[in-house]
Amino acid sequence: MQAEIEKLFDQKPETYTEDHFRLFQEFKAALNAGEVRAAEPDARAKSGWRVNGWVKKGILLGFRMGAAVDMSIDSTRQPFFDKSTYPVKHFTVASGVRIVPGGSSIRDGCFIGKGVTCMPPMYINAGAYVGDGSMVDSHALVGSCAQVGRNCHISAGSQIGGVLEPVGALPVIIEDEVLVGGNCGVYEGTVVKRRAVLGTGTILNRSTPVYDIVRNTVLRATDDEPLVIPEEAVVVAGSRAISSGPGKDWGISLYTPVIVKYRDQKTDTKIQLEDLLR
């Protein structure tokens, strides 16, 4: 399938045939089943993950191939128009996913594991992967190609950014058992390793260094590597004083995320309370 998707990606839309549309449907079925992913674990990579550029090309193909169609529940009161290739994802009770009523939406072409809970309103975009037992809380977003592991909690108002283009860019990775607190934002291919905790309002991206006051180090993204939050790190929103110029004179501080501790029994006890909601 990879070679066919790569070849089709380079073709002009006017050359698409019925066979090409069938290929895309097969590709999307593989996305839905979790058989292909925009990124996957790779022990050889520094971040522990590698991007599958051909999968991202296949997702982009869907947007190129699809025509805008009427997907309205009610054309007068609730009009919806989107690409024919990306309707709302189909679920049944047998899917084992709990979607609480109230305006949530999950686009076709993403994997949603058994026991996932979706609290309204929330949104999961094409190409995403959400592992078994995770919760996506109210007003939360899981962006295109984002990879969320097992038993994670994406709390209310949090944004897991999408990284669809460029195709070679690593998407946002949230590994197993991560707690993303309310109103957090994780963007630009950041990798949050397993069992980490992001405190309320924490923002992570390629531009902002993370100060680890436990291990006395500063974590940064590079041109070649993403920002990586270590396993079991507890990250909170902090500030760092400007040390020179007018900013110093005016007493201005800039936002910076800070690792204040690593998970311990007390942290685990608090997190276990989240299980009661699932």
Side-chain angles (χ1 to χ4, degrees):
M1 182 182 291
Q2 178 176 350
E4 295 171 294
I5 291 291
E6 296 269 14
K7 181 179 179 181
L8 184 57
F9 187 78
D10 294 328
Q11 291 186 208
K12 295 181 179 180
E14 56 267 26
T15 66
Y16 296 159
T17 67
E18 289 186 8
D19 286 340
H20 294 148
F21 280 91
R22 279 194 289 270
L23 172 64
F24 174 73
Q25 292 300 326
E26 293 173 7
F27 167 77
K28 192 169 63 170
L31 277 176
N32 283 323
E35 295 168 357
V36 299
R37 300 172 61 172
E40 61 185 292
D42 185 348
R44 296 169 297 179
K46 288 184 179 180
S47 66
W49 289 78
R50 64 179 172 86
V51 62
N52 291 324
W54 75 271
V55 175
K56 296 175 81 173
K57 286 181 179 181
I59 296 167
L60 287 167
L61 267 174
F63 290 102
R64 190 186 300 171
M65 298 173 82
V69 296
D70 188 343
M71 297 185 181
S72 303
I73 298 172
D74 183 300
S75 58
T76 301
R77 293 184 295 176
Q78 284 189 309
F80 295 108
F81 307 95
D82 201 0
K83 294 285 189 173
S84 58
T85 43
Y86 286 111
V88 174
K89 184 176 173 72
H90 178 69
F91 291 95
T92 67
V93 172
S95 301
V97 176
R98 184 156 67 98
I99 305 174
V100 180
S104 297
S105 184
I106 302 173
R107 215 172 194 176
D108 203 17
C110 62
F111 174 79
I112 308 297
K114 296 283 187 181
V116 169
T117 300
C118 302
M119 299 300 291
M122 58 97 246
Y123 183 71
I124 300 174
N125 209 347
Y129 184 105
V130 180
D132 295 353
S134 289
M135 173 181 278
V136 183
D137 217 331
S138 302
H139 296 94
L141 163 72
V142 179
S144 54
C145 297
Q147 306 289 297
V148 177
R150 294 171 177 260
N151 301 318
C152 294
H153 188 123
I154 311 301
S155 297
S158 291
Q159 307 286 297
I160 308 302
V163 183
L164 184 51
E165 295 185 277
V167 294
L170 188 73
V172 174
I173 307 293
I174 307 292
E175 292 192 357
D176 295 349
E177 300 181 51
V178 168
L179 172 61
V180 179
N183 293 304
C184 288
V186 186
Y187 306 106
E188 299 173 356
T190 296
V191 177
V192 181
K193 304 298 281 185
R194 63 182 299 274
R195 289 176 49 81
V197 177
L198 306 185
T200 300
T202 300
I203 306 296
L204 301 173
N205 57 40
R206 295 186 66 86
S207 304
T208 306
V210 177
Y211 290 80
D212 187 341
I213 61 176
V214 180
R215 297 177 176 174
N216 192 27
T217 188
V218 181
L219 307 175
R220 290 184 171 90
T222 67
D223 291 340
D224 301 320
E225 296 294 332
L227 174 65
V228 179
I229 302 301
E231 288 190 11
E232 300 194 327
V234 179
V235 191
V236 301
S239 63
R240 182 167 181 259
I242 295 177
S243 59
S244 62
K248 178 182 179 182
D249 298 338
W250 295 336
I252 294 175
S253 295
L254 299 177
Y255 164 78
T256 188
V258 180
I259 297 176
V260 293
K261 61 183 289 187
Y262 284 78
R263 281 177 68 158
D264 54 22
Q265 186 175 0
K266 184 177 179 181
T267 309
D268 289 343
T269 299
K270 290 181 179 179
I271 291 172
Q272 285 168 8
L273 295 175
E274 304 291 349
D275 293 338
L276 298 175
L277 301 174
R278 302 184 185 186

